[in-house]
Amino acid sequence: MRNPLDGFTVTAQDLWYVGEDLQRPECILAEPDGSLWSADARGGVVHIRPDGTQALVAQSLDQRFGGTLDEADRFTQGTLPNGLAFDVDGSILISNFGTDRLERMTRDGRTTVVLDTIDGTAIGKVNFVLRDSQGRIWLTISTRITNWMAAISPKLSDGYVAVLDNDGARIVADGFMFTNEIRFDAAEEWLYVVETSGRRVTRLRVGEGATVLEREVFGPSDTGGFIDGIAFDSFGNLWGTHVMSDRIFAITPQGDFRVILDDDNPGPSAALYEAFERDAVTPNHMLACGGQIAPWFASVTFGGPDLQTLYIGSLRGTRIPAFRSPVAGLPMAHWR
């Protein structure tokens, strides 16, 4: 069967933009009615309605669940929403890169802590959260060290994947090089895990009780860039982003790598990767990188009524670029 992505590429001229004055729209959730929910560095999410109007929904610590005034103050200063997922009741699960915990926020902003320790130990830099069709919550921890930029290293592999279900929270797979976004395939048989510092995608075959039965690299062992976000389309292509070198790519079901959109600034990117090989990356190396569209591509989200509009999340953009895909996205758990 012919792959819908055969011969398909995108340029800046194919894009349009959604939202305005956003701050760090790293992760985007789409709903069937056309609504978008974007993580925002001001502490919460921006709801972009189908008519284009938008509103910031700011987090507030829910005092009904034991939060103190001191805790609320610390929370307001430290929050940095990163990965998002809809819970079964429509509230928003937030992997908070600032507070180092998994949180649940109602659509009017009331926030409670879901998880901040596993077996009595702080969970670390929680990056992404995903809910599957069984209602289980999966999350990634990029690193256990506090300074996450120091974890962009070819020598560190302390990231892990955890699950939260009726049996509690536990680590299901460990030893990843800066764990980032995760996605299940259509059958929820394999969980695909981004290893940002590994510049690859690893997949885990998941069995009963969220046990890992197999673990293998999917696609190239080195994609040539730091991967951040991923999403499946309905054909089985795994789309993804190269953060800082700003590319949208796809890995076919056969494992072939294809670049869809390239907004790289090659000089700074080359310097970044050279420094990475020496384990000498600095914030200046990273900050010098980025394209013109929405610097530091971070995620891809399928939306629109036919799931054929693809939205690009970013770490340094203020708007959300979008384009039409030749194939629909794989519906997420909240869409079904």
Side-chain angles (χ1 to χ4, degrees), residues 30 231-233 239 300-304 307 309-311 325 327-330 335:
F232 273 105
D233 67 28
W239 296 59
V300 282
T301 299
F302 287 94
L307 280 173
T309 299
L310 192 137
Y311 300 96
S325 164
V327 58
L330 180 68
W335 204 281

Side-chain angles (χ1 to χ4, degrees), residues 14-329:
D14 299 314
L15 304 173
W16 71 92
Y17 292 84
V18 179
E20 58 183 11
D21 299 325
L22 306 176
Q23 294 187 24
R24 199 178 180 274
E26 200 274 351
C27 185
I28 301 159
L29 296 177
E31 292 189 285
D33 70 353
S35 290
L36 298 179
W37 300 79
S38 171
D40 196 278
R42 288 167 289 189
V45 299
V46 172
H47 180 199
I48 304 175
R49 305 178 185 91
D51 64 3
T53 60
Q54 65 183 54
L56 173 67
V57 182
Q59 292 177 281
S60 59
L61 194 65
D62 195 334
Q63 302 298 316
R64 298 178 304 163
F65 291 85
T68 68
L69 292 176
D70 286 345
E71 287 172 335
D73 183 61
R74 289 196 301 271
F75 172 77
T76 302
Q77 293 178 16
T79 183
L80 186 63
N82 205 66
L84 308 175
F86 285 120
D87 208 349
V88 290
D89 63 354
S91 60
I92 300 172
L93 296 167
I94 298 176
S95 49
N96 200 312
F97 212 62
T99 61
D100 295 345
R101 61 196 187 194
L102 178 66
E103 299 158 355
R104 179 181 289 107
M105 187 186 80
T106 63
R107 296 195 177 198
D108 61 1
R110 288 179 289 113
T111 300
T112 53
V113 178
V114 177
L115 186 69
D116 57 4
T117 61
I118 294 179
D119 294 331
T121 301
I123 56 175
K125 274 298 174 196
V126 58
N127 186 303
F128 193 71
V129 58
L130 179 72
R131 180 174 62 84
D132 67 18
S133 63
Q134 300 179 48
R136 299 178 299 189
I137 297 171
W138 300 78
L139 63 154
T140 64
I141 281 69
S142 295
T143 179
R144 291 171 168 91
I145 66 175
T146 302
N147 179 11
W148 70 266
M149 283 192 171
I152 305 299
S153 165
K155 298 180 179 179
L156 188 65
S157 54
D158 68 339
Y160 64 89
V161 176
V163 69
L164 177 62
D165 59 14
N166 292 334
D167 295 324
R170 60 200 179 278
I171 297 172
V172 297
D174 206 341
F176 296 99
M177 296 180 70
F178 204 94
T179 334
N180 213 307
E181 287 200 6
I182 48 176
R183 299 288 182 188
F184 274 105
D185 61 11
E188 293 190 350
E189 178 184 6
W190 291 89
L191 180 67
Y192 291 70
V193 182
V194 169
E195 293 190 70
T196 297
S197 293
R199 305 197 293 198
R200 63 180 175 254
V201 176
T202 293
R203 66 178 187 174
L204 311 173
R205 191 161 72 88
V206 177
E208 291 295 323
T211 55
V212 173
L213 306 178
E214 295 179 50
R215 176 170 173 166
E216 63 187 27
V217 173
F218 174 71
S221 59
D222 186 342
T223 63
F226 295 133
I227 308 173
D228 196 326
I230 51 173
F232 273 105
D233 67 28
S234 58
F235 186 83
N237 299 300
L238 183 65
W239 296 59
T241 63
H242 276 162
V243 66
M244 293 180 281
S245 51
D246 288 359
R247 296 187 193 92
I248 304 295
F249 64 83
I251 303 175
T252 70
Q254 295 75 34
D256 297 327
F257 181 85
R258 303 181 181 185
V259 174
I260 304 296
L261 170 62
D262 192 340
D263 194 38
D264 186 24
N265 187 354
S269 291
L272 171 67
Y273 293 127
E274 188 276 331
F276 176 75
E277 295 301 324
R278 295 184 288 109
D279 195 20
V281 169
T282 68
N284 286 340
H285 286 117
M286 300 183 194
L287 292 170
C289 296
Q292 300 298 311
I293 292 171
W296 292 24
F297 289 173
S299 63
V300 282
T301 299
F302 287 94
D306 57 2
L307 280 173
Q308 282 188 245
T309 299
L310 192 137
Y311 300 96
I312 304 173
S314 68
L315 291 173
R316 298 171 67 188
T318 58
R319 299 181 296 169
I320 299 171
F323 61 88
R324 291 290 290 169
S325 164
V327 58

